[in-house]
Structure formats: C-alpha cells, structure tokens
Amino acid sequence: MRTRRFRKPIVVQPGRIDRDRVVLSVSDAAEVLLRDWPAPASKTRLAAIEACLAVIRGEKPPRVARQAFIVAAKDARILLGEQI
C-alpha cells in the first residue's frame, strides 16, 4: 500500500500534554484514530475512520480523510494545528 500523504500536516494532542502528534498521512491519521483517540464512541471519529478506509481503498483522495480527521479532532478537542 502506498502511503497517502497530506499536503499539510496536522498536529493533535490525543493524550498527555507533552505528547503532541504530527499527522502527515492517511496511515498516521488511521493509527491515531484507532489507537490513541480520547473519545472512542464519537460519530466524527467513526466518520474519519471510514474516510481513511476509503482513501486506502483508492476510492477517495487524501484530502477527504484529512478534512474528516480535522473535524473529528476539533470535536474531540485535541486539534492543536492544521499545519506547522
């Protein structure tokens, strides 16, 4: 599988204050969504997971997963920045 990179990185803080995470690709986003997400039952998280899967399957461009990830991160209040 080719890594589908985002044009601009996203910075989130899914856990401890001193543990920021820079998300550079769809696979990074999927990893954070599946392993480190603070609100596992949220609808926006599930939508972001579905968007990542669609990109991985080649059905959607990476920007779709990036936007869904940003919406979910805002909803979970872990978004620090959309680019660095």
Side-chain angles (χ1 to χ4, degrees):
M1 177 185 82
R2 232 179 70 187
T3 300
R4 305 290 299 221
R5 294 185 64 84
F6 296 145
R7 286 183 185 251
K8 298 176 186 174
I10 304 163
V11 182
V12 293
Q13 192 175 74
R16 293 180 17 199
I17 288 175
D18 62 341
R19 302 286 177 173
D20 297 352
R21 180 82 189 261
V22 178
V23 178
L24 301 170
S25 67
V26 174
S27 59
D28 288 349
E31 183 178 331
V32 172
L33 287 160
L34 294 172
R35 293 187 181 171
D36 302 324
W37 208 255
S42 78
K43 291 180 183 179
T44 55
R45 175 186 171 257
L46 294 176
I49 291 170
E50 289 176 12
C52 288
L53 288 173
V55 173
I56 290 167
R57 289 190 298 255
E59 299 168 357
K60 304 275 182 177
R63 73 181 184 305
V64 171
R66 184 179 188 277
Q67 186 58 42
F69 185 84
I70 290 169
V71 169
K74 285 179 181 176
D75 184 54
R77 298 179 184 208
I78 64 168
L79 182 67
L80 294 180
E82 295 179 36
Q83 64 183 10
I84 53 175

